[in-house]
Each structure stands twice: as structure tokens, then as C-alpha cells.
């Protein structure tokens, strides 16, 4: 019998405990093993894992931190070949997203993969789920339970689909002459010879940010394979993303965030998202910071594209480095080897 590993650190409210109990009962053909604290940790490689996290008023869960630290101490493959999803509960309206992103980021660094849309959130009084009542004639509690059920189903069903000739789309908006991020990409590219690569440069001023049309208007444009603003986004970028099996985002750290140009591309994805599911498209990234903060950029990217838009997240999705002056990336110790390892991981995850 297959086993689902539940990481449920800290104290549980009755309501959260009941929701989890119901979810486990609906999958009673599986063994359920609960890990409450870091001393309970066993070998978690090649496992199906549910992080079920209840936050305190300040958004913390201290025993969760201890568990993640223990896993990190076991080495960067302590979650290799595992996949995970997250159920996260807050006593107020804040912190669920931030903590979920942090868990995904840390677990991914240890080799864990996540399916698209890997998080179910419950903020106070389930108010975050109210929008779903426009679609389902159900109580908030029922919607929450349904989402948990579907999430566990996804954890069980999701399979790695590898392809003979995967199409890899590389998106960037950097200067060819000076960008460390682009130089690092070239090192990776040298190790991807023979692959089906397409590079798109998002030039300044070519992609305006999303206008925020009404849901119905956006659906209308989506059916027409168009968008209110048209331009390169409709002609080139959206069709390229639709066609790609894998997207690689080249992200210099701009004020501890993804650059505005690439963020505009992500915001404008909404119109494609209405028509196409991204679950079988893999998300990778190369991130370079001048000083620090690559984790902020990585978390923003995975938050937008994996948690929100539903791209699948392969293990070790981001290659991160620190380099300040133009060309400094070439002097980072061991960077060529890192680039080679990253390219090998990409191949392993997407190619037959
Ligand atoms: C507008 C702007 C904002 C930046 N903000 C940060 C920052 O917040 N933190 C940091 O470490 N580096 C920051 N940098 C430096 C870049 O991350 C750094 O140059 C790095 O090499 C990646 O950029 P590049 O690919 O353009 O070379 C910033 C650079 C620019 C142009």
C-alpha cells in the first residue's frame, strides 16, 4: 500500500485537525504517516508529502522551521524524487502565501518537485475562498474540503512527463553586452547543445502591463487568441509559451524582485491561462543578484508561475548566483560546473 507522508508541525486547532482528518479518510486506500517534529523525521526521499501547516498570529510555525533545518542538514538531496503539496491555515488574513512560497523554495532546493497549483490556503473565516462561490453553489467549508481533496488527488496522480524533443523557451529582457544573467545563461546554453531552444528578448517598452479587463472581457480575448493590447505579446510571446514544454526565465535581481518587463509578461499571461493549462510545462530560472536577495526573486517567480499560474516546478528549478560588476559572473568560483549541473538537471527533468 502506498503511503502519504503528512508533515503537521505544532499545535492544531480543532477545525484544521478535522479538515485534515476528513481528507485522510477520503484516501483510506493509502497509509498515512504523520511527522510532527524534527525528531520524527525519517528518510523522505522518493515520497509523497503533504505539508499541513497552521500558522500563529504572526505567521510563524517554529517546529516547521526545525523540520526544514533538519532536512537541510541531511544534504541537498534529502527530498530528491519526492513531490509535495501544501495546505496552509492562518488565524488572520495574512502570511499564508509568503510561508507557502518559502516552503516550496526550501523544499525545492532539497530536490522536491511540486505540481502546478500546489497550495490550498485558508485564511480566517475562509474569506479567501469567497470568490469560488461565484462558480460553486457551496458553503466555504465545502469548497475548502473540495480543494483539499483535489490537491491530494493531484499529489497522487501527477506523473513526470518526459518528452523526446522538448521545446525550451528562454525569456529575458537584459542587455546583451553587460548582463551577468545573460552570461550565465550562455554557460548553461553551452551544455544544452542540440536541444530545441528558442530565445525571446522582451525589449524595453514592447510589453505594456496588464490592463485588468473584466473577467468576461478577458475570456472573450482569450477565445480570440488575442488580448486588449495586442503587440509582440499576442504575436510572439503568448504563442511561444503555449507551444513550449519548458520555460526558462532569466532574471537579474532588480530591487529584490523580477524586472518590471518580465513581470509585465507574467501579468499578461492571464489571457492565455484562461484557455490553456500550464501543468505540463516546466518552470526553470537563472537568477543573478549584485549583492544578495536571489531567494526573493526566486520566491516571487515560483509564487507567480507555479503557485498562481500552475506551471510544474521541477527540483532545483533555479540557478542562483551573486555577481555585481559587468562580467563578474565569469570569476565566480565553480560557476561553470554549476551551469553544467543545472543544464543536466533540466535535461533529466524534461527529456526522454
Ligand atoms: C534597476 C536595478 C536594480 C537592482 N537591484 C538590486 C538589488 O536590489 N539587489 C542586488 O543584489 N542587486 C541589484 N541590482 C544589481 C543586479 O542584480 C546585478 O547587476 C546582477 O549582476 C544582475 O544584473 P545583470 O544581469 O543586468 O548584470 C540591480 C540592478 C539594477 C539595474
Amino acid at each position: 500500500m502506498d503511503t502519504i507522508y503528512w508533515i503537521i508541525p505544532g499545535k492544531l486547532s480543532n477545525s484544521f485537525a478535522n479538515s485534515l482528518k476528513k481528507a485522510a479518510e477520503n484516501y483510506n486506500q493509502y497509509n498515512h504517516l504523520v511527522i510532527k517534529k524534527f525528531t520524527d523525521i525519517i528518510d523522505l526521499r522518493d515520497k509523497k508529502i503533504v505539508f499541513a501547516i497552521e500558522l500563529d498570529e504572526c505567521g510563524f510555525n517554529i517546529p516547521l522551521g526545525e523540520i526544514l533545518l533538519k532536512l537541510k542538514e541531511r544534504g541537498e538531496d534529502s527530498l530528491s524524487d519526492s513531490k509535495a503539496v501544501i495546505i496552509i491555515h492562518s488565524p488572520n488574513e495574512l502570511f499564508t502565501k509568503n510561508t507557502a512560497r518559502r516552503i516550496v523554495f526550501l523544499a525545492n532546493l532539497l530536490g522536491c518537485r511540486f505540481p502546478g497549483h500546489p497550495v490550498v490556503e485558508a485564511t480566517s473565516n475562509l474569506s479567501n475562498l469567497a470568490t469560488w462561490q461565484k462558480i460553486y453553489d457551496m458553503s466555504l467549508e465545502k469548497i475548502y474540503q473540495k480543494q483539499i481533496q483535489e490537491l491530494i488527488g493531484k499529489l497522487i496522480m501527477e506523473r513526470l512527463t518526459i518528452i523526446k524533443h522538448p521545446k525550451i523557451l528562454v525569456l529575458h529582457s537584459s542587455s546583451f553586452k553587460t548582463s551577468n544573467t545573460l552570461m550565465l545563461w550562455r554557460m548553461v546554453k553551452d551544455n544544452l547543445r542540440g536541444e530545441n531552444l528558442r530565445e525571446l528578448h522582451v525589449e524595453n517598452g514592447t510589453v505594456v502591463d496588464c490592463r485588468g479587463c473584466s473577467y468576461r472581457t478577458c475570456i472573450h480575448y482569450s477565445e480570440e487568441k488575442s488580448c486588449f493590447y495586442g503587440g509582440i505579446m499576442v504575436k510572439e510571446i503568448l504563442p511561444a509559451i503555449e507551444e513550449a514544454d519548458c520555460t526558462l526565465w532569466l532574471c537579474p535581481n532588480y530591487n529584490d524582485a523580477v524586472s518590471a518587463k518580465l513581470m509585465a509578461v507574467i501579468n499578461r499571461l492571464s489571457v492565455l491561462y484562461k484557455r490553456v493549462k500550464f501543468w505540463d510545462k516546466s518552470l526553470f530560472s537563472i537568477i543573478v543578484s549584485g549583492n544578495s536577495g536571489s531567494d526573493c526573486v526566486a520566491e516571487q517567480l515560483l509564487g507567480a508561475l507555479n503557485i498562481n499560474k500552475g506551471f510544474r516546478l521541477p527540483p532545483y528549478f533555479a540557478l542562483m548566483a551573486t555577481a555585481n560588476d559587468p562580467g563578474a559572473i565569469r570569476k565566480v568560483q565553480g560557476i561553470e560546473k554549476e551551469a553544467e549541473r543545472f543544464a543536466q538537471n533540466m535535461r533529466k527533468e524534461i527529456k526522454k
Side-chain angles (χ1 to χ4, degrees), residues 37 50 77 94 165 191 197 204 228 231 279 284 296:
K37 49 190 186 305
V50 182
D77 65 345
L94 306 177
H165 300 295
N191 292 282
L197 297 174
N204 236 346
F228 178 84
W279 296 342
F284 288 99
C296 301

Side-chain angles (χ1 to χ4, degrees), residues 195-214:
E195 300 303 342
N196 185 347
L197 297 174
R198 179 169 179 199
E199 292 177 57
L200 282 181
H201 182 200
V202 181
E203 283 177 55
N204 236 346
T206 53
V207 178
V208 275
D209 207 343
C210 179
R211 178 171 174 264
C213 295
S214 71

Side-chain angles (χ1 to χ4, degrees), residues 163 165-169 241 243-247 280-282 350:
I163 299 164
H165 300 295
K167 293 184 186 120
I168 303 172
L169 175 67
I241 291 174
E243 221 180 71
D245 301 301
C246 164
T247 57
D280 56 355
K281 298 185 189 298
S282 300
I350 59 174

Side-chain angles (χ1 to χ4, degrees), residues 19 22 87 120-122 125-151:
S19 302
K22 274 191 217 157
I87 304 166
V120 168
E121 297 165 81
N125 305 320
L126 303 179
S127 56
N128 63 304
L129 299 174
T131 329
W132 290 98
Q133 288 184 317
K134 291 182 192 160
I135 301 171
Y136 301 115
D137 183 18
M138 289 181 185
S139 67
L140 292 175
E141 186 50 49
K142 285 231 163 75
I143 290 172
Y144 181 43
Q145 211 60 48
K146 175 176 155 50
Q147 290 198 346
I148 294 179
Q149 268 345 106
E150 289 170 358
L151 188 73

Side-chain angles (χ1 to χ4, degrees), residues 217-337:
T217 309
C218 190
I219 287 274
H220 165 75
Y221 282 118
S222 179
E223 284 164 357
E224 303 280 306
K225 296 195 176 181
S226 178
C227 175
F228 178 84
Y229 285 122
I232 184 186
M233 195 65 198
V234 169
K235 283 198 195 109
E236 273 199 71
I237 300 176
L238 290 178
I241 291 174
E242 183 171 358
E243 221 180 71
D245 301 301
C246 164
T247 57
L248 171 62
W249 300 72
L250 307 187
C251 299
N253 176 343
Y254 279 9
N255 290 300
D256 300 319
V258 175
S259 74
K261 286 175 270 184
L262 288 184
M263 221 34 232
V265 171
I266 293 174
N267 291 341
R268 293 277 300 278
L269 270 185
S270 297
V271 74
L272 180 61
Y273 177 66
K274 302 253 175 354
R275 194 167 55 73
V276 173
K277 294 287 159 258
F278 300 136
W279 296 342
D280 56 355
K281 298 185 189 298
S282 300
L283 165 67
F284 288 99
S285 180
I286 295 175
I287 298 167
V288 180
S289 296
N291 310 302
S292 65
S294 293
D295 53 323
C296 301
V297 182
E299 286 181 17
Q300 184 190 1
L301 197 69
L302 72 83
L305 291 174
N306 168 246
I307 297 180
N308 192 317
K309 286 288 167 287
F311 285 74
R312 68 173 289 273
L313 197 76
Y316 314 109
F317 95 101
L319 171 59
M320 293 173 283
T322 306
N324 203 319
D325 298 328
I329 192 75
R330 294 200 188 94
K331 296 187 194 118
V332 172
Q333 215 184 1
I335 197 68
E336 300 269 359
K337 196 80 207 137

